[in-house]
Structure formats: structure tokens, C-alpha cells
Amino acid sequence: MADAHARRIWEQERPTTLVVDGERFTVRPRPTEPGTYHFAWETGPNPDYGFSQFGWQGRPATTEELHDAIRDFLSMVDPNTGYIED
């Protein structure tokens, strides 16, 4: 079950800022797609770069799950380009 902070993000349908490992992301829930969030990487080297996460079975993610999604994303980013490379 989602914690209170994560539930507020979902219910308010407003963006919120999360800082994970020194990187700042704006997290926006998609109210028409339960369990879906868009993460904009505010401190990344490339404007408008980020990712979307799907699949929390139509429920709000916990704050820990949101942080884990960001860490997974950051682990795939090439530090030389700032993008996920194949």
C-alpha cells in the first residue's frame, strides 16, 4: 500500500519534486492512467529528458518505489552522453 506522501502525489494530481542521489526529478502522476507516472529529470544534462513508469497495478506507488524507479533509470544513463544508450 502506498505511503501518505506517495498517496498525496497521486490524489492531488499535481507534480512533486523528488531528489534521489543528488538528482532532482519532477514526478507527475497520470490520473487517466492509474499506476503511471512521468519523471522529468530537472538536473540532468539534457533538457526535457526523463522517463515514464507504468505498472503499479492501478495503485499509487510508494515513495520507495518512486525512488527505486529513479535509481533504475539513473543506473542506465551513460554518464558521457546523459542518455540511455543501447
Side-chain angles (χ1 to χ4, degrees):
M1 178 151 205
D3 55 74
H5 179 251
R7 184 159 291 287
R8 271 193 308 278
I9 294 169
W10 184 264
E11 290 173 350
Q12 293 175 358
E13 300 178 2
R14 290 191 318 224
T16 192
T17 301
L18 294 178
V19 177
V20 177
D21 299 337
E23 299 293 338
R24 189 175 68 249
F25 287 80
T26 299
V27 180
R28 291 179 178 83
R30 291 187 186 169
T32 59
E33 298 177 51
T36 302
Y37 297 82
H38 179 72
F39 299 76
W41 189 9
E42 304 299 338
T43 53
N46 302 305
D48 301 320
Y49 195 61
F51 68 101
S52 292
Q53 182 75 36
F54 310 89
W56 277 294
Q57 294 94 30
R59 64 168 176 80
T62 65
T63 301
E64 182 179 350
E65 288 170 329
L66 296 172
H67 283 210
D68 288 346
I70 291 170
R71 283 191 182 98
D72 288 346
F73 167 79
L74 290 172
S75 74
M76 294 185 284
V77 172
D78 182 320
N80 295 316
T81 65
Y83 291 107
I84 294 175
E85 304 290 337
D86 292 331

